[in-house]
Structure formats: structure tokens, C-alpha cells
Amino acid sequence: MATESSTTTLFRAKVASMKDWKPLNPPSNRDRLELYALHKQAVSGDAPARLNTAQQQQQSVGERAKFNAWKSKRGLKQDEAMTAYVTECDRQMRVYGTAASVDDSSGTTSGGATSGNNNSTGTTARAASTSSSTRISSTSTMPRGIAAIPLLCVAAAENKDTYSARMLRTNPSESWWGKQEPLCAEPGSAFALPETIVLHVANQVEHVILGAPLEPKNLLAAVWPVHNVLICIWIAFIHVCTLIGSAVLASKIIFLGKKRVGVSLEDLFQDTIIPLGTSASALSKSHPRQATGVRVVGLALMPLSWICKMSGNLADGTIAVGAMFYAWAVMMSWFYWLSVIPWSAVGAVWVGVVVGICFGIIEIAGV
């Protein structure tokens, strides 16, 4: 009973602290559902085996997703769900970081001391924010994909030993790639296809590794470069998808007007185009913790940062001129975004495979 009481106390304390948690970057829908499901299982126990037709018809899409997430935890004891909830909360706080307090001028995050990963994430995000154009106001709503780039850069910088240690502790059902989802469009939509392909390939590779009967240390050494390459490809695709999507939106605003589209050119530049260019240019900058693959992606995306910068300069004079130039430049460089970048990504995967084989041989040889 003492263990159960301690678990319940810890669970209640974590629930209370999560109410005040303000993530530095928005958690994915999948992670939000995971927390909901674990909390619901801990509080209410098993979900009903099925709902009647009337209940199913009354459920919205969001309610149905929540119910399915809760139902996936059937059979998990309530005290085990409490422990899993606390663990998942800690993981998400490390992954998504904690936003700085409004009145905290020292730059430390709210909630006191953080782990090393959280500090790295916060430092990267603050660096990107500091280098942003002064045209971005404090109320700017950055696209979800671009907001996640600092976190992905930190993930790409994971070294071989850290990656191997993490994978050896990971259950197949808790794989890192399995919890990711497209960030630039709704999952399942055509515009999310590039990200979906990357996530599917990476998830399959990770599941094979976690379930492989071979010597795990040798296999993980071989897969580590492929893992990092896939993260870098995801970073590149997020930028390209955001670029194309914002160019299409700019064209709609120019031809249909902001009232019909619901977004003004000023908001588009402030919320998307300027942050996009800033993010792309920051990737190629030298940083002690910046992975080499991320720097290569930054070099490949230099045309993107140029387009955003020149469009922003023109928009300072006349916003419509900047928007027209932006849409025109993206359209004229379509071959680079839709052919060169994807095929370069395919080549990068093969490079990662070759490098991985070399690492595996070195690990087997014990060099």
C-alpha cells in the first residue's frame, strides 16, 4: 500500500505541474493523445470494449481519437498507468522544452532547473529567435514545422553512444519515430506526403532494429548514421513544404484578396516567410552542437533563404511587390525544390547506409 500511495502522490503532483507547463514548442497530436490516454487509464481504468451506435454517432473526430487512444491502454493497471504518465510527462518536457516566463529577464525557463537536453533545445531555440528579423513581432505565430526545427537539430546531433544507449532502453511500442507525425500539413493529406514517406521509412527501420535478434550494439552502430540522415531529410522537407505552401498562399492572397483567403500579406510575411528564411539560414551556421548533416541541409537550402530575404526586402517597400516576387521566385525554381532536393535526399540515404556499414564493421572488429 505504501508503494501505491507514493505512486498516487507522485501522479497527482505531476498532473498539477502539467497544468502550469507551457511548452516551448507545441507537442504533436500523437503525444497529446498519449498523455490523455495514460491519464484517463490512471483515473478511470479500462475503457469500454465498444460503444453503441448512438454513442459513436455523437462522437466528434477529436472525441473518437481520444477514445481510441484510451482504449489502446486496456489491460494496463491504474498504478502502472500513473507511473507511465509521469515518465511520459518528463519525456515530453525534455523534448518540447519549457517556454520562458514573461517576467523572467535572465533567460532561464520557468520551472527551475532543466535537464541537459532541455537546455540544448532552449539554447538553440533562443539563438534562432535572437537572429530573427526585427520585423517579427512578439505576437508572431510561427508555423508548427519551423517551430520544431531547433528540436530536430538537437535530435540530429545525438552521438552514436547516446543513440545506442537510448535504443537499448526503448520498447518497440515506444519508438521515437513512431510518435512523430507530419508537421506541415494534416496527416493523411497529399501535402503531407513527403514527410509521411520519411516518417514511415524511419519508423520501419527503427521497428526492425528494436526487434532484431542480431547483436544490438553492432546493429545500432550501423543504423545510427541512417537515423541522423533521415532527421536531416525531414528538416529539409519541412522547409521545402513550408516554402511551397506559403508561395501558394501568397498567390491566393494576390488574386483573391485577403478577405476571401482570410490571411493578409503582412501576416504571411511576419508569421511564415521571414521565420522560414531565418530558420534556413541558421542551419548552415557553425555551432558547436550543430550536426554536420544539418549544416549540409543549410547549404542546400541557401536558395530558400535568399528568396525569403530578397522578398522581405522588397516587402519593406511595397508588400504586394515582395509577395509577387516570392511567388514568382518559388515557381521559377520549382525544379530545384521538386526534383533536386528529393533526389539529393535519396542519395543522402545511400550515403548514410554506406557510412553505417563502415561503422558496423568497425564495431564488429572492435577497433
Side-chain angles (χ1 to χ4, degrees):
M1 292 299 293
T3 303
E4 181 178 352
S5 177
S6 175
T7 300
T8 303
T9 301
L10 184 60
F11 170 73
R12 289 177 177 174
K14 182 61 68 175
V15 171
S17 67
M18 289 299 288
K19 291 180 180 179
D20 298 327
W21 177 50
K22 296 180 180 179
L24 183 66
N25 291 283
S28 67
N29 290 335
R30 189 170 300 179
D31 280 349
R32 292 177 187 271
L33 287 173
E34 180 70 10
L35 277 185
Y36 170 83
L38 289 172
H39 181 273
K40 189 71 173 177
Q41 183 72 15
V43 173
S44 305
D46 286 346
R50 62 173 59 186
L51 298 177
N52 58 44
T53 305
Q55 289 174 319
Q56 292 178 3
Q57 291 176 347
Q58 292 174 358
Q59 279 187 327
S60 64
V61 175
E63 290 172 340
R64 189 177 300 113
K66 287 183 176 180
F67 178 78
N68 289 335
W70 177 25
K71 188 177 177 181
S72 68
K73 305 301 178 185
R74 281 180 61 86
L76 187 66
K77 295 180 180 179
Q78 288 183 267
D79 58 338
E80 293 176 347
M82 291 180 186
T83 302
Y85 176 85
V86 173
T87 302
E88 180 64 17
C89 287
D90 292 338
R91 185 194 71 82
Q92 291 195 26
M93 292 180 75
R94 290 195 303 270
V95 170
Y96 297 108
T98 302
S101 301
V102 175
D103 58 347
D104 191 353
S105 58
S106 65
T108 56
T109 57
S110 59
T114 55
S115 65
N117 286 346
N118 199 7
N119 286 335
S120 300
T121 303
T123 301
T124 309
R126 285 193 294 273
S129 176
T130 302
S131 63
S132 298
S133 170
T134 55
R135 285 169 291 188
I136 304 177
S137 70
S138 59
T139 59
S140 174
T141 306
M142 189 181 298
R144 185 180 169 206
I146 299 303
I149 293 301
L151 293 173
L152 294 178
C153 290
V154 172
E158 187 177 35
N159 61 43
K160 178 168 66 69
D161 293 336
T162 303
Y163 171 76
S164 298
R166 176 174 63 82
M167 291 292 287
L168 289 173
R169 297 193 305 267
T170 301
N171 294 323
S173 60
E174 298 293 327
S175 64
W176 184 81
W177 281 107
K179 293 185 176 182
Q180 309 308 313
E181 63 181 11
L183 298 174
C184 295
E186 287 297 321
S189 65
F191 198 65
L193 184 60
E195 288 185 88
T196 302
I197 293 174
V198 174
L199 296 178
H200 177 74
V201 171
N203 189 32
Q204 292 302 312
V205 171
E206 195 166 60
H207 272 285
V208 169
I209 298 305
L210 292 174
L214 304 177
E215 175 61 34
K217 190 175 180 181
N218 299 338
L219 197 57
L220 290 172
V223 174
W224 169 67
V226 179
H227 166 78
N228 285 353
V229 165
L230 289 171
I231 294 178
C232 292
I233 292 174
W234 191 15
I235 291 173
F237 282 5
I238 287 174
H239 282 85
V240 173
C241 289
T242 304
L243 174 76
I244 296 174
S246 56
V248 172
L249 184 57
S251 301
K252 287 183 177 179
I253 298 172
I254 292 171
F255 290 106
L256 301 178
K258 66 179 182 181
K259 289 185 178 180
R260 294 185 64 180
V261 178
V263 180
S264 67
L265 290 174
E266 290 81 1
D267 289 340
L268 179 62
F269 270 91
Q270 175 180 287
D271 296 343
T272 303
I273 297 176
I274 300 303
L276 174 63
T278 301
S279 175
S281 62
L283 296 178
S284 59
K285 293 180 179 178
S286 178
H287 189 278
R289 296 182 180 179
Q290 191 85 300
T292 301
V294 173
R295 296 180 189 178
V296 172
V297 171
L299 293 174
L301 295 178
M302 285 185 70
L304 185 153
S305 59
W306 293 338
I307 291 174
C308 293
K309 184 177 181 180
M310 288 187 287
S311 300
N313 291 336
L314 291 173
D316 284 341
T318 305
I319 192 74
V321 173
M324 286 189 287
F325 174 82
Y326 183 75
W328 174 84
V330 174
M331 181 182 67
M332 294 302 294
S333 56
W334 69 269
F335 183 79
Y336 185 76
W337 310 119
L338 300 180
S339 181
V340 175
I341 293 293
W343 281 110
S344 298
V346 174
V349 171
W350 283 109
V351 171
V353 171
V354 172
V355 173
I357 292 174
C358 295
F359 271 108
I361 293 174
I362 293 173
E363 196 69 38
I364 294 173
V367 178

